Amino acid sequence: MIQSLSVTSDGQPAEILLTGGTGFIGAFLLRRLLDKTTARVHCLARGGTTQAVTERLHAAQSAYGLGRLDEARVVPVPGDLAAPGLGLAADLFGVLARRVTTVIHAGAQVNLAQPARVLEAANVAGTAEIVRLAAGRGAAVHLVSTSEVFGPGDGAVDEDAVPEDRFPPASGYGQTKRAAELLVLRARRDGLPVTVARLDRIVGDSLTGACQAGGDDFWLLVRSALTTGVLPDAPVNVTPVDFAADAVLRLAAAPETSASIAHVCHPQPIRMADLAAALGRPIRVLPQDEWAATLRRLGERPGCDPLLRLLPLTAERVLGGRPRFEAPRTTAALRRLGLRHPPVNVPLLGMYVRHLRSTGFLPAIRHDEPLITDIRG
């Protein structure tokens, strides 16, 4: 039980506001808040009615095999991060501002193809409204951020790196999440209790294999290997979502164990050879330049998926490694709190592959179907 998130400093029951509870990391955060605290959780999500929000929360829990919600402790709050006042009536905004003792802000509009101006309302203005609400009674704000706040560049970033002028993000999503970070860090300087947890690439549940619905750009790269027969020889750090959710909440409950910014990432990159083994097909691991050239060449063949030509263009962001995302202080803090990263090995990668095959995102193995690179010409 996480006591400091269950009751306030004066012994009163805690009231937590969670945003993003219908998303991937948000669904796991909600499950852990219900399992590991006694707090009542107010869940802000899009929906015209409380029933619509409740149904979306249930659907997210079901999608990832997380079980049923305790509706006695979950308060659905129809709203919208992109709307003024979070889309709430002024009286309800005021009630929450007086009642909420902790905010877990995991909600955001995630789209790596959209420009910043399209995402600003939800990701920046929405965060400003969250800070305004929290300021009502000085509630702690725990922002779930992303390694995307740093764009490509040589060097390394650790928890001391404040994203103001180093490694500007390439994506509009990264730019708006950077702006949101700076906003809450200013609120911290003004006296509001704030922590920021930057998450690196998040993958499925280490216990069940449940992955994000529809995959993501990393799994799109993996899916391409099932037709091309090639993967790039590059380090990829992936962190199971259940560990990430535990880390966010444990660090939020014990901010004194680390600084105001934490990096939640796995210290050991996966080997592409292990990923190839998990896929169960004869896949070659090529130097990254050779892999990119192979995909461009294959993508020009009649009838091939044009995505093959596009994947090398996003490889730097998908594969990571520049700048290096480091977490020395966070890793030490998590160990003091009793949390250790689960191994990401062939058995776990195989569990993810089986889950994604069960959803249809990855095709079933057909050993009689040749890989593209098996065909000469």
Side-chain angles (χ1 to χ4, degrees), residues 17 19 44 81 86 103 105 126-135 141:
L17 174 64
T19 69
L44 177 76
L81 287 174
L86 303 174
V103 179
H105 183 28
T127 300
E129 294 287 20
I130 287 292
V131 168
R132 183 166 73 90
L133 185 149
V141 176

Side-chain angles (χ1 to χ4, degrees), residues 16-361:
I16 295 175
L17 174 64
L18 172 69
T19 69
T22 59
F24 186 40
I25 182 68
F28 282 81
L29 288 168
L30 177 55
R31 171 50 51 195
R32 274 147 178 76
L33 285 170
L34 294 175
D35 290 348
K36 299 186 177 183
T37 79
T38 57
R40 192 159 67 149
V41 186
H42 303 259
C43 294
L44 177 76
R46 292 191 307 276
T49 65
T50 57
Q51 182 60 32
V53 171
T54 298
E55 289 174 359
R56 293 187 66 210
L57 293 168
H58 276 300
Q61 295 291 302
S62 176
Y64 305 121
L66 296 173
R68 297 288 296 175
L69 293 178
D70 179 359
E71 292 191 22
R73 289 176 52 210
V74 174
V75 182
V77 182
D80 186 349
L81 287 174
L86 303 174
L88 305 176
D91 56 346
L92 178 55
F93 188 99
V95 167
L96 287 172
R98 292 189 297 273
R99 181 174 295 170
V100 166
T101 55
T102 299
V103 179
I104 311 290
H105 183 28
Q109 187 174 349
V110 182
N111 189 317
L112 296 172
Q114 293 281 13
R117 58 182 170 76
V118 175
L119 308 177
E120 281 176 349
N123 297 354
V124 185
T127 300
E129 294 287 20
I130 287 292
V131 168
R132 183 166 73 90
L133 185 149
R137 62 172 294 173
V141 176
H142 305 292
L143 175 68
V144 178
S145 189
T146 170
S147 59
E148 286 278 334
V149 299
F150 297 107
D154 293 322
V157 290
D158 61 14
E159 300 97 334
D160 290 325
V162 177
E164 290 182 296
D165 53 11
R166 296 183 68 205
F167 307 117
S171 68
Y173 171 65
Q175 292 162 20
T176 56
K177 289 297 287 185
R178 172 180 282 210
E181 271 199 27
L182 293 173
L183 195 154
V184 299
L185 291 173
R186 282 196 295 272
R188 181 176 182 271
R189 290 194 292 269
D190 292 338
L192 198 67
V194 163
T195 66
V196 175
R198 295 178 183 143
L199 308 189
D200 205 10
R201 182 168 303 283
I202 302 301
V203 290
D205 190 331
S206 68
L207 300 178
T208 68
C211 293
Q212 186 169 8
D216 62 11
D217 51 4
F218 170 68
W219 290 113
L220 285 171
L221 182 152
V222 172
R223 187 166 70 178
S224 76
L226 291 171
T227 54
T228 64
V230 292
L231 279 170
D233 187 8
V236 180
N237 288 79
V238 296
T239 302
V241 65
D242 50 317
F243 175 86
D246 283 333
V248 167
L249 295 184
R250 293 296 293 272
L251 291 168
E256 70 281 356
T257 65
S258 62
S260 58
I261 298 175
H263 282 185
V264 179
C265 61
H266 203 287
Q268 185 63 47
I270 64 172
R271 297 171 63 244
M272 283 297 183
D274 288 344
L275 184 54
L279 289 169
R281 300 223 56 192
I283 291 168
R284 291 183 296 152
V285 178
L286 304 177
Q288 193 167 333
D289 290 347
E290 186 178 344
W291 167 80
T294 300
L295 261 62
R296 285 192 293 268
R297 185 175 68 254
L298 295 174
E300 292 168 357
R301 292 187 177 188
C304 277
D305 187 344
L307 177 65
L308 296 181
R309 295 193 299 271
L310 298 177
L311 275 175
L313 301 178
T314 61
E316 189 169 71
R317 176 176 53 77
V318 172
L319 299 173
R322 296 183 62 222
R324 295 187 310 280
F325 195 63
E326 299 179 342
R329 189 164 54 241
T330 306
T331 300
L334 291 174
R335 284 178 177 169
R336 288 194 296 272
L337 293 168
L339 280 181
R340 292 183 178 272
H341 297 82
V344 181
N345 48 24
V346 174
L348 180 57
L349 293 170
M351 189 161 57
Y352 292 154
V353 168
R354 288 191 296 276
H355 173 82
L356 290 169
R357 284 196 172 115
S358 75
T359 66
F361 178 80

